[in-house]
Amino acid sequence: MIETKNLTKKFGNFTAVENLSLSIDHGESYGFLGPNGSGKTTTILMLLGVLKPTSGEVKIEGQSVQTDSFNLKKKIGVVAEYQKYYDEMTAWEYIQFFADLYEVADKEAKANLLFDRLGLEKWKNVLIKGYSTGMQKKLGFARALIHSPQLLILDEPVSGLDPFSITQVRELLLDVKSKGCALLISSHILSEIEKLVDRVGIIYKGNLIAQDTMQGLRHMVGQRNYLQLSFKTINQAQIQNFADLSFVKKIETKSNQLKLFIDQDTEEYRAEIGQLILKNDLVVLELEKKEPNLEETFITITENNFKQIADQVSSTGEKNE
């Protein structure tokens, strides 16, 4: 759906994006992450044809954004972090206006479906200036989806939404994804991105330094699954007994809580841990196997591995894998 090759954007002597190459397939959900100022927004603006690249190319469905920008916009829906609306229109008038621009067939049925899915049905005839921030954000989703785009670009899509609205939006996005729409999502709310994406790309100082599935990213930075145990009380000698278990590679402690980092393929730990708990007469409040989440993985990469990964990809010449 999206393919970029050696995409570069310079502003004078400053390079905002450098030789960025990525691809996103139909029906794939891609998380595009990076610290503030890393080049995410510049990249998105080039994908949309708003900014002209200094060099390199962007293709959507094989068509060049530089030469076919107008026609390609019909295939794209966008939800930006900050959006402007026509406040003197009702929400219904607003969506019908955009449906006419996109020449949407059966526009009223599609609009009614979106209003219903987003919980806006009761307020569709209210002026937009009377909408709350969250309602306006959901109206932005209706506008982005009214023409059934094949690519949806989302910048901080759930900011300003309450937990119930986030769930509504997530279910809607998973539904359009299941029908073949590709999603490119940029957000700092990593817990929500993790529920939506198939792959993650991390950009830093204009360079795509990591791109993989969540499992692949964890492997890249050497993260392990861990067991989280909480006890009523536990002493240092008992903690050491857990640290001495053969499958425990590292242990972290906080008060009466332990994190045991284990081999990825270890499945027999339950019996040994159970025996150790009984032997030490420990009262267990919690025992749960966990995987590092996207936020933990992102922090690990950004704090500890940028230089290491940058050096590695520089030596191999493979910035995208």
Side-chain angles (χ1 to χ4, degrees):
M1 188 66 212
I2 298 176
E3 183 180 17
T4 74
K5 290 184 179 180
N6 301 320
L7 194 63
T8 298
K9 181 62 180 178
K10 296 184 178 182
F11 298 95
N13 294 325
F14 174 70
T15 301
V17 176
E18 184 175 10
N19 292 327
L20 187 147
S21 297
L22 60 83
S23 63
I24 302 172
D25 292 331
H26 288 274
E28 182 179 20
S29 182
Y30 187 95
F32 193 46
L33 312 180
N36 291 333
S38 59
K40 301 189 301 298
T41 299
T42 301
T43 300
I44 289 173
L45 292 176
M46 287 191 286
L47 294 179
L48 292 171
V50 177
L51 279 181
K52 183 179 179 180
T54 304
S55 60
E57 62 179 346
V58 181
K59 289 185 177 181
I60 295 178
E61 286 205 312
Q63 295 177 272
S64 171
V65 170
Q66 288 94 314
T67 58
D68 298 310
S69 177
F70 184 80
N71 290 327
L72 287 172
K73 283 181 170 62
K74 297 177 181 179
K75 301 180 179 183
I76 303 172
V78 179
V79 179
E81 181 176 8
Y82 303 107
Q83 304 181 94
K84 295 295 183 181
Y85 300 89
Y86 304 140
D87 289 345
E88 299 302 323
M89 282 184 173
T90 66
W92 181 259
E93 290 169 340
Y94 180 77
I95 294 303
Q96 293 301 304
F97 172 73
F98 278 94
D100 287 337
L101 286 178
Y102 284 107
E103 300 178 336
V104 174
D106 203 10
K107 63 180 182 178
E108 292 189 1
K110 287 185 177 179
N112 276 321
L113 178 62
L114 287 168
F115 276 105
D116 181 61
R117 292 291 302 270
L118 292 164
L120 296 175
E121 181 65 27
K122 294 180 180 179
W123 295 275
K124 68 181 184 181
N125 293 316
V126 174
L127 292 178
I128 296 174
K129 66 181 179 182
Y131 268 32
S132 67
T133 300
M135 292 170 69
Q136 288 188 0
K137 192 62 174 274
K138 290 196 286 186
L139 184 61
F141 277 95
R143 182 199 61 215
L145 291 168
I146 189 62
H147 59 297
S148 302
Q150 295 164 292
L151 169 64
L152 196 57
I153 296 180
L154 309 167
D155 187 13
E156 298 296 345
V158 298
S159 64
L161 295 179
D162 60 51
F164 181 72
S165 297
I166 289 175
T167 300
Q168 287 178 316
V169 166
R170 183 196 311 142
E171 291 175 351
L172 180 59
L173 291 177
L174 289 173
D175 185 40
V176 299
K177 175 181 180 293
S178 71
K179 296 174 181 176
C181 180
L183 309 180
L184 175 65
I185 309 173
S186 176
S187 177
H188 291 104
I189 305 178
L190 304 188
S191 59
E192 190 58 32
I193 276 197
E194 189 168 15
K195 297 172 184 176
L196 289 169
V197 301
D198 303 308
R199 285 191 301 146
V200 175
I202 299 178
I203 187 172
Y204 177 66
K205 293 187 177 180
N207 292 276
L208 191 66
I209 63 165
Q211 180 177 241
D212 212 327
T213 62
M214 275 300 303
Q215 183 178 357
L217 288 180
R218 293 188 193 107
H219 178 73
M220 176 184 291
V221 299
Q223 286 184 318
R224 298 179 180 273
N225 293 340
Y226 63 89
L227 304 177
Q228 185 164 294
L229 299 93
S230 297
F231 301 96
K232 187 173 182 180
T233 60
I234 188 169
N235 60 43
Q236 191 59 46
Q238 292 167 330
I239 292 173
Q240 187 59 48
N241 289 334
F242 284 98
D244 290 339
L245 292 171
S246 61
F247 54 82
V248 174
K249 301 306 176 184
K250 186 177 72 169
I251 188 168
E252 293 180 0
T253 64
K254 182 180 180 182
S255 186
N256 292 322
Q257 185 179 82
L258 305 184
K259 280 187 178 181
L260 307 180
F261 292 85
I262 62 175
D263 283 331
Q264 299 284 4
D265 56 355
T266 297
E267 292 297 337
E268 300 302 323
Y269 60 83
R270 294 179 180 86
E272 291 190 51
I273 287 179
Q275 292 171 3
L276 194 55
I277 289 170
L278 290 174
K279 182 179 179 181
N280 287 273
D281 294 321
L282 293 167
V283 177
V284 181
L285 304 179
E286 177 189 23
L287 194 164
E288 185 177 2
K289 182 179 179 180
K290 294 189 174 184
E291 294 181 340
N293 59 32
L294 180 55
E295 185 171 348
E296 292 171 316
T297 304
F298 180 77
I299 290 173
T300 300
I301 291 175
T302 55
E303 288 188 348
N304 302 323
N305 292 275
F306 269 140
K307 185 177 186 304
Q308 174 186 342
I309 295 174
D311 289 346
Q312 175 185 344
V313 298
S314 176
S315 63
T316 62
E318 297 179 354
K319 287 191 175 182
N320 297 327
E321 301 295 334

